[in-house]
Amino acid sequence: MKKWLLAAGVLMPFFSAQATQDPEAMYNRACVACHAGQLPMAPKPGDRAVWAPRLSQGMDTLVQHVTQGFKAMPPRGLCMDCSSEDYRAIIQWMSE
Ligand code: HEC
């Protein structure tokens, strides 16, 4: 797992030259603290079944929830320099 993350960290910049910030890197910096299974309510990346009902609220609502905080999630998801576009990209990445 660690090795894979390291490899992804090294290779990612080549694949995401068009993005201002890489969603996976942002996730690993901020959202991973809760969204990797530590908090059972926080949907994990790649868990489509859990993401489906969340996504059905619409991307705008999800972005708003992260920005303003949602239940146990603190405002901005602890990513102080993430923009709405960044949240959109992270949510897209997490729900695939
Ligand atoms: C301190 C812990 C914590 C951090 C950090 C955190 N989250 Fe969350 N997040 C949660 C929890 C807990 C929930 C589930 C809330 C619930 O439905 O009870 C959640 C839910 C969500 C949801 C679904 C909201 C909805 O309306 O269903 C999205 C989207 C989300 N998080 C995105 C993010 C993103 C993006 C980041 C990083 C920028 C992030 N979170 C960082 C704890 C966190």
Side-chain angles (χ1 to χ4, degrees):
M1 187 63 186
K2 246 210 170 104
K3 268 193 186 137
W4 182 85
L5 280 178
L6 271 176
V10 171
L11 294 172
M12 266 311 159
F14 297 104
F15 292 118
S16 59
Q18 82 284 5
T20 36
Q21 295 197 66
D22 173 56
E24 190 173 355
M26 288 185 285
Y27 165 82
N28 281 319
R29 186 155 51 88
C31 327
V32 73
C34 305
H35 280 267
Q38 300 91 331
L39 294 181
M41 312 80 78
K44 282 192 268 183
D47 198 340
R48 284 166 188 249
V50 172
W51 275 105
R54 309 256 184 199
L55 288 172
S56 69
Q57 301 177 100
M59 184 55 94
D60 289 343
T61 305
L62 292 177
V63 168
Q64 198 184 344
H65 282 169
V66 183
T67 311
Q68 299 177 352
F70 185 66
K71 300 186 193 175
M73 177 160 58
R76 309 211 67 90
L78 299 184
C79 182
M80 296 311 157
D81 62 349
C82 285
S83 66
S84 306
E85 284 309 308
D86 292 332
Y87 289 134
R88 211 171 271 269
I90 305 172
I91 294 166
Q92 202 94 54
W93 177 82
M94 284 208 277
S95 61
E96 273 168 5

